Amino acid sequence: MKSTTVFEIEVEAPRNLLHLRYAGSVTAADMKAGIQRTEGLLAQMRKGFTVVADLTGLEAMALDCGPHLSRMMELCKVQGVGRVIRVIPDPSKDIGLNILSLIHYRGKVQVITCETMAEAERALR
C-alpha cells in the first residue's frame, strides 16, 4: 500500500503558534507547495512566535527537500521566530534538522526536541 504524504500547516494566532505536520514520504514538490502556504501564514505571526514541527508520522523525506527546509527556516527567522519545538519520536528521522538549525538560527532561536506531542505541549507552557 502506498503511503499518503501529509504536510499540514496551521496557525493558532492567539497562542502565536505555527504548527507544521509531516507524514508519509515527503517530496521536494510537497515542501515547495508547503513553503508557498507558509509564506502567507507567517504574516499572521507576531515576533517571538513558536513553531511546532511534528514529525511523528514522517516515514521518509527526499534528499532534495534540504533547500526547501532551509528556505522555511529562513522565512521563519525573518518573521521573528523565537522558539522551535520539534516532535521526533524516532531520532533516526531527525533528517538533519539539528545541523540546519545551527546554520540558520545561529543560536538565536531556542530549539527543543521532544519525543511526543504531550511533551511538546508541556514545553509550550
Side-chain angles (χ1 to χ4, degrees):
M1 182 175 170
K2 185 178 178 186
S3 65
T4 302
T5 298
V6 176
F7 181 34
E8 295 176 348
I9 304 160
E10 177 186 341
V11 168
E12 276 188 67
R15 292 178 73 192
N16 207 25
L17 290 176
L18 178 70
H19 289 269
L20 305 172
R21 290 179 193 87
Y22 301 88
S25 296
V26 178
T27 66
D30 298 324
M31 288 296 298
K32 187 174 181 181
I35 287 172
Q36 290 172 344
R37 290 193 315 267
T38 303
E39 284 179 308
L41 294 174
L42 281 172
Q44 300 177 40
M45 308 311 299
R46 298 178 311 277
K47 187 173 174 82
F49 70 96
T50 299
V51 173
V52 176
D54 183 3
L55 282 68
T56 302
L58 182 68
E59 293 171 17
M61 186 173 282
L63 289 175
D64 56 354
C65 288
H68 301 293
L69 280 172
S70 292
R71 174 80 176 133
M72 182 84 70
M73 289 178 166
E74 285 299 315
L75 289 169
C76 289
K77 183 174 81 174
V78 167
Q79 190 64 26
V81 65
R83 180 172 52 167
V84 175
I85 299 174
R86 297 183 183 125
V87 180
I88 307 175
D90 179 355
S92 71
K93 299 216 173 136
D94 176 274
I95 61 172
L97 292 173
N98 286 329
I99 292 169
L100 289 172
S101 292
L102 291 172
I103 294 167
H104 296 285
Y105 299 145
R106 300 185 197 335
K108 296 179 179 162
V109 175
Q110 180 186 22
V111 178
I112 300 167
T113 301
C114 304
E115 289 186 13
T116 66
M117 275 305 295
E119 188 180 341
E121 281 295 330
R122 285 192 299 275
L124 283 168
R125 291 188 206 128

